Amino acid sequence: MNAQTDWDDVRYFLAVAREGSLSAAARVLGVNHSTVLRRLTGLEAAMGVQLFDKLPRGYVLTAAGEDMHRTALSVEDTLAAASRRLSGRDAQLEGTLRITTVDILAMHILPRHLAAFRALHPGIRVDMTVAEANLSLTRREADVAIRLAAQLPENLVGRSLSGLAFAPYGEVGMVARHGAAPPAEACWVGLDESFDHTAMVRWLRAEVPAERIVQRVNSVAVLVESVRAGLGYGLLPCALADRMPELRRVGPPVPDSGVRLWLLTHGDLRMMGRVRAFLSFMAAALTSDRDLLEGRLPQPVPALADV
């Protein structure tokens, strides 16, 4: 990397190095495939070296690319640290706050709390990115993360606000036909291999024969909708399913799922005015939802639109 290197080109280089393909890097950067290729080609021309080998498994760093990668990561870390320190000095309750979370929280838990926060702090605009993958708070891809995890992620500060209970559910008509418990031949909907690390998938493998799983999806929100449609039974978050009159719980919550709800930021950002205000507000709001999140609300309860 030299004095004439455009840092924006380096961002594209780092995205390709992280994602392993032009298309994946383009999705992360919010641009099209050709833009990534053009910026990468321009960087290689400026540097006078080939940075990637294009192999069947994707873009792989060359020896020169590895050297460039180490230097670029060091510069990125330095710039990100400076940005966090400077941002952390901002005590004003205005500006943009970037948060990241998963679909089930974004769709069913957070909207009413974000509306209340907006009413209290109209000068703060909250931009929310919904992603199963964890965005980096270290690189300022987000200021606050509301995540589901078993333990506190490294390099972040925050607190666990609640557990998250999961239980088996069925559509009310299906439950009426089959009775209080799913029959042995019942169809189920499950999560795909991207969730193999979770207690939800481990429970399903232990309790439901593979041949009874008629559909797998890569989104808990889609799983909920499939069960609501009557496609099959499913292991669902109680915080969503208990608020849906179309669903009935047909078994106890999974014991010791290990999933916790975390409210997180980077240590350099926690004194920023709008981050501090959001963390304080959301900690109280989500703590008040613990009975809902941990599956202690009775069924039936009002429909989502009536809450």
Side-chain angles (χ1 to χ4, degrees), residues 43-63:
L43 180 62
E44 288 182 325
M47 300 296 296
V49 295
Q50 182 178 339
L51 298 173
F52 292 95
D53 286 323
K54 188 177 180 182
L55 303 179
R57 66 179 186 272
Y59 276 64
V60 178
L61 290 166
T62 63

Side-chain angles (χ1 to χ4, degrees), residues 167-175 177-178 182-183 185-190 204 208 212-216 222-236 246-248 250:
Y169 290 83
E171 184 268 332
V172 289
M174 182 180 295
V175 174
R177 292 191 300 272
H178 293 163
E185 69 276 12
C187 296
W188 288 74
V189 183
L204 202 65
V208 179
R212 303 314 307 159
I213 300 175
V214 297
Q215 184 186 62
R216 286 187 170 90
V222 174
L223 174 63
V224 172
E225 294 306 313
S226 296
V227 177
R228 285 178 78 185
L231 187 60
Y233 292 91
L235 188 69
L236 307 179
E246 305 94 337
L247 296 174
R248 287 293 179 270
V250 293

Side-chain angles (χ1 to χ4, degrees), residues 134-172:
N134 292 332
L135 299 187
S136 174
L137 274 66
T138 300
R139 296 195 301 271
R140 292 297 306 280
E141 292 175 347
D143 301 313
V144 173
I146 304 174
R147 292 183 183 169
L148 301 175
Q151 57 188 9
L152 177 68
E154 294 182 5
N155 304 320
L156 301 178
V157 296
R159 55 187 290 199
S160 171
L161 302 176
S162 173
L164 190 70
F166 297 86
Y169 290 83
E171 184 268 332
V172 289

